Amino acid sequence: MVICATCAVEYDEPAPDVCPICADERQWVPADGQHWTSLAELAAAGQHLTWTETEPGLVSIATDPRVGIGQTAQLVTTPQGSLLWDPTGYLDAETVARVRERGPVLAIAASHPHMFGVQVDWARALDAPVLVNEADAQWLGRRDERIEFWSGERAITDSLTLHQVGGHFVGSAVALWADGADGRGVLLTGDSVFPNPDRTSIGFLRSYPNKIPLSGAVVERLTRALETLTFDRLIGNFDNRIDTDARAILRRSADRHIAWVRGDFDHLT
């Protein structure tokens, strides 16, 4: 197994000449070409993971220094078991042990292919299945018997469900943790729905590095789908957060985005 140094997604060997995920218009290949790495190389360089308990039942796990895109994984623990969301592109024995201490891991899932990380290695270490949305199966760089495909909606526990919303990728998904935020609900998202640095608005892009927006029609569709869910807190794939009133902020942000791409605001007229 090798890891793309740019996006930190795992690939079976022999690796392709160029990472297909990075060659896509939503990502990028370095100017000096494709670079590959491995867990052993990262460990030898002193790579490690951070562990931050952000609220009861929720832990943020991140790479330090950043590996690939540098997403922050979220470990959601319920009485029935845990979900590892948006797995990092690196893992170590210490973190695996800490995850196991919290009980069985019922599933590993990513919001979209950019966040696949080393999901198969995580799955093997935690004895858990990897849930991949069927619409994004083509982006898998590594196949394994632990991979299970899903679409539409997938229940993990009574209070934890995956929902396919599309947008950034056809199979882009969110995870709803109904018991989070003291029972008000936490929505874990990826790039289709991205909490902005101002913590009071949300962005909707097809590509973040290349600045390609989602269309107004897509944003309206996914916003309406999310409005059927109950949540107050929204957490993105870099631990970017909207701590409260996230559902209302989603609607306001969607309306603003739709107006801009429709052309309502032209400062030259």
Side-chain angles (χ1 to χ4, degrees):
M1 184 270 286
V2 293
I3 303 167
C4 175
T6 304
C7 70
V9 170
E10 60 188 358
Y11 282 85
D12 288 318
E13 296 187 78
D17 292 337
V18 178
C19 168
I21 288 176
C22 290
D24 177 71
E25 69 177 3
R26 283 161 284 204
Q27 187 47 20
W28 54 278
V29 177
D32 60 349
Q34 180 67 46
H35 296 272
W36 300 101
T37 187
S38 67
L39 291 175
E41 287 182 3
L42 291 169
Q47 186 67 51
H48 70 281
L49 295 171
T50 63
W51 177 281
T52 306
E53 299 196 29
T54 54
E55 66 178 270
L58 187 63
V59 173
S60 296
I61 301 171
T63 54
D64 185 17
R66 188 182 80 176
V67 175
I69 295 173
Q71 69 263 30
T72 299
Q74 302 293 335
L75 178 67
V76 185
T77 301
T78 76
Q80 295 165 281
S82 299
L83 166 70
L84 182 65
W85 176 254
D86 281 346
T88 56
Y90 179 75
L91 80 166
D92 56 34
E94 177 185 356
T95 305
V96 167
R98 295 184 77 171
V99 172
R100 282 183 168 275
E101 287 173 359
R102 300 176 79 89
V105 176
L106 302 177
I108 295 165
S111 57
H112 63 285
H114 291 149
M115 304 289 106
F116 281 166
V118 291
Q119 58 186 6
V120 170
D121 266 72
W122 276 109
R124 291 177 177 178
L126 297 171
D127 191 24
V130 179
L131 303 183
V132 175
N133 192 275
E134 190 171 12
D136 289 337
Q138 70 187 57
W139 298 104
L140 282 168
R142 192 178 183 194
R143 301 281 176 164
D144 192 85
E145 62 183 8
R146 292 185 177 274
I147 293 174
E148 298 178 11
F149 295 108
W150 70 282
S151 62
E153 182 177 325
R154 173 70 178 256
I156 308 298
T157 73
D158 294 341
S159 64
L160 192 55
T161 52
L162 306 184
H163 301 265
Q164 180 181 356
V165 296
H168 187 60
F169 277 79
V170 178
S172 284
V174 298
L176 177 65
W177 179 31
D179 291 340
D182 296 321
R184 302 189 309 276
V186 172
L187 192 69
L188 305 178
T189 70
D191 289 355
S192 288
V193 179
F194 191 87
N196 288 327
D198 63 10
R199 301 175 302 284
T200 61
S201 68
I202 290 167
F204 311 89
L205 294 181
R206 175 170 171 79
S207 171
Y208 285 80
N210 300 322
K211 303 300 184 289
I212 306 171
L214 291 177
S215 71
V218 168
V219 170
E220 178 63 27
R221 179 193 56 73
L222 68 85
T223 297
R224 288 188 179 184
L226 292 175
E227 285 178 329
T228 66
L229 307 178
T230 299
F231 60 92
D232 187 56
R233 181 168 297 154
L234 196 151
I235 302 175
N237 46 338
F238 297 91
D239 212 27
N240 42 329
R241 294 164 174 260
I242 295 174
D243 281 331
T244 191
D245 205 28
R247 199 166 176 275
I249 289 171
L250 171 69
R251 170 45 64 187
R252 291 200 301 270
S253 299
D255 289 344
R256 180 181 69 173
H257 179 98
I258 292 165
W260 272 105
V261 298
R262 187 171 55 216
D264 289 6
F265 308 112
D266 186 344
H267 292 163
L268 295 181
T269 61

